[in-house]
Amino acid sequence: MDSTTSTPSHATFSAGICLMRNAWKEDQHPSFINFISTFLSANSFRLNFVPIAPDFIFNCGGLSVAFIFVTNWDCYNVASIFNRVQKLKMQFARFYVVVSLPAKEQINSFIQSYFTFGMVIGKPTFVPVQDLEMGFEKMVKIAHSSGVYKQERIGEKLKDERKQLVQRMDFYLKVVTSIPGIDNHDANALSQAIGSVQAIAKASKEQILENTDLSTDKAGLVSRFLRDPKFYSRPKIN
């Protein structure tokens, strides 16, 4: 049995992976499964059919989003739906429930049941829709936007880390080049071979000579300067 549908082999970009629960698939009309497969392929998602607890799990940009997709709201059998929601919301940090409610009777039943079973708004988020296709498209948009947001946060974090690294390096250069006769080249050599200011302060003259291209005089100067407060606190004449 073929359990995997994927994007064409020539595709070079994947927006993410969609995992569909086997049991959910078996309950749907083949035409709807075909719509899902076509829609995902057109949007560069890979589709796998697997035995999972929720109906869908999307992975976009390293972020997983789980969904229950209720395609047939039975006004006389809602307890099983809400019991399942209560169970799964404890297992997934990002969890949504998409509910197809094409008829007024179903909408009224959903609203009444929502409060009867003690649901809290946003925990999880319910997404009522008028038809199946709309429901699935909303799922893909939610999953994709969540992944994009995470990637943006990661980008911002990396940018901040680079900024802090540059600031630390600037501070390091200011400290080390304050040693008379030590320029940026010497400071960079010390940074790469020895490490931090604290590490340089602990390094002996011999270690500095062995691991850098500093001259004997400079190596001795660095060693004395960072170890002897009296030396680096003396007035300096340029």
Side-chain angles (χ1 to χ4, degrees):
M1 181 178 70
D2 182 13
S3 62
T4 304
T5 301
S6 60
T7 54
S9 59
H10 65 268
T12 58
F13 168 77
S14 175
I17 300 173
C18 172
L19 305 178
M20 180 192 297
R21 186 166 68 102
N22 289 328
W24 185 91
K25 175 192 173 187
E26 297 303 321
D27 290 337
Q28 311 307 315
H29 193 279
S31 63
F32 185 41
I33 301 300
N34 184 62
F35 164 81
I36 290 174
S37 177
T38 303
F39 185 84
L40 289 172
S41 179
N43 287 278
S44 301
F45 277 86
R46 291 190 288 122
L47 172 61
N48 294 336
F49 303 110
V50 291
I52 52 177
D55 297 328
F56 289 88
I57 296 177
F58 282 82
N59 189 295
C60 303
L63 184 76
S64 293
V65 186
F67 294 87
I68 284 178
F69 190 1
V70 182
T71 57
N72 181 26
W73 183 267
D74 184 351
C75 300
Y76 302 101
N77 185 27
V78 298
S80 60
I81 296 173
F82 285 99
N83 289 338
R84 187 171 175 229
V85 169
Q86 293 282 22
K87 180 179 179 180
L88 290 179
K89 77 175 185 178
M90 305 299 294
Q91 301 178 22
F92 296 92
R94 297 168 185 85
F95 175 52
Y96 296 81
V97 182
V98 179
V99 187
S100 177
L101 303 169
K104 184 177 181 180
E105 178 187 4
Q106 292 174 313
I107 295 173
N108 292 336
S109 170
F110 167 75
I111 295 173
Q112 181 179 355
S113 302
Y114 183 89
F115 294 102
T116 298
F117 285 88
M119 293 292 104
V120 177
I121 295 175
K123 296 180 180 182
T125 297
F126 280 74
V127 185
V129 295
Q130 292 182 337
D131 58 65
L132 303 182
E133 291 77 11
M134 178 189 296
F136 188 75
E137 289 179 13
K138 282 187 176 293
M139 285 171 51
V140 174
K141 289 179 180 178
I142 290 170
H144 178 68
S145 61
S146 298
V148 169
Y149 177 71
K150 180 181 180 181
Q151 290 300 311
E152 289 176 347
R153 291 289 300 274
I154 292 174
E156 290 173 0
K157 182 178 180 180
L158 291 175
K159 184 178 179 180
D160 289 341
E161 289 177 351
R162 286 194 295 267
K163 183 178 179 180
Q164 292 174 10
L165 181 61
V166 169
Q167 290 174 341
R168 287 196 296 268
M169 192 61 189
D170 287 344
F171 175 76
Y172 167 86
L173 289 173
K174 286 180 181 180
V175 171
V176 178
T177 56
S178 69
I179 302 172
I182 301 300
D183 56 23
N184 281 352
H185 170 79
D186 300 327
N188 284 319
L190 288 164
S191 173
Q192 294 175 14
I194 309 298
S196 66
V197 173
Q198 291 81 357
I200 296 170
K202 294 178 182 178
S204 66
K205 175 182 176 181
E206 290 71 24
Q207 287 177 308
I208 295 174
L209 283 172
E210 183 180 348
N211 293 284
T212 71
D213 60 357
L214 270 68
S215 67
T216 302
D217 290 342
K218 285 187 176 182
L221 189 63
V222 169
S223 181
R224 292 195 306 274
F225 187 90
L226 293 178
R227 289 185 178 186
D228 185 357
K230 293 181 181 180
F231 184 85
Y232 61 69
S233 61
R234 292 174 186 170
K236 302 175 182 60
I237 300 175
N238 295 327

